[in-house]
Amino acid sequence: MVFIHIVLLPVRSGVQAGLVNNVVTKLNDLVNCSPFVVRSSCGRTVTERGKQYTHALVVELERADQLSLYANHPAHQAVLPLIKEIIGEDALAMDFDTSA
């Protein structure tokens, strides 16, 4: 069983590429910082279908009850202010259990 956490990020136009790349790198590195993150993948969309959402994050956890542990983990907390610095509006998050 895997629990999936997805976040869509609407990065503001005009934000320096270096700032965005730093956030993407930190989000991709969450797998190395948190013991219950199985996989963490973040990247920029390659199509126009994302509308205002330019980047997506997919985090795989072992179980649903680990979502609050992940959310409160220092590595996750450290990247939140950086995300808020680059987005122009609220991010969109969805979570689901693959065994459901």
Side-chain angles (χ1 to χ4, degrees):
M1 173 176 81
V2 175
F3 186 80
I4 306 293
H5 171 64
I6 300 172
V7 180
L8 301 179
L9 301 170
V11 174
R12 287 183 287 113
S13 62
V15 175
Q16 292 181 351
L19 290 175
V20 177
N21 292 339
N22 182 46
V23 171
V24 169
T25 298
K26 289 185 181 305
L27 290 171
N28 282 323
D29 197 42
L30 287 173
V31 68
N32 300 315
C33 301
S34 179
F36 31 80
V37 174
V38 175
R39 187 174 315 175
S40 179
S41 300
C42 182
R44 182 176 179 81
T45 185
V46 296
T47 69
E48 298 298 319
R49 299 181 327 164
K51 300 191 180 186
Q52 74 268 28
Y53 300 101
T54 59
H55 291 72
L57 167 68
V58 178
V59 176
E60 294 182 20
L61 305 171
E62 294 172 350
R63 301 181 316 272
D65 63 342
Q66 293 174 326
L67 183 60
S68 62
L69 297 171
Y70 163 77
N72 293 308
H73 191 277
H76 179 261
Q77 289 294 311
V79 77
L80 289 178
L82 301 175
I83 292 171
K84 291 178 182 175
E85 201 175 308
I86 66 168
I87 63 175
E89 56 189 84
D90 288 341
L92 177 64
M94 296 181 72
D95 308 291
F96 64 94
D97 190 330
T98 61
S99 67

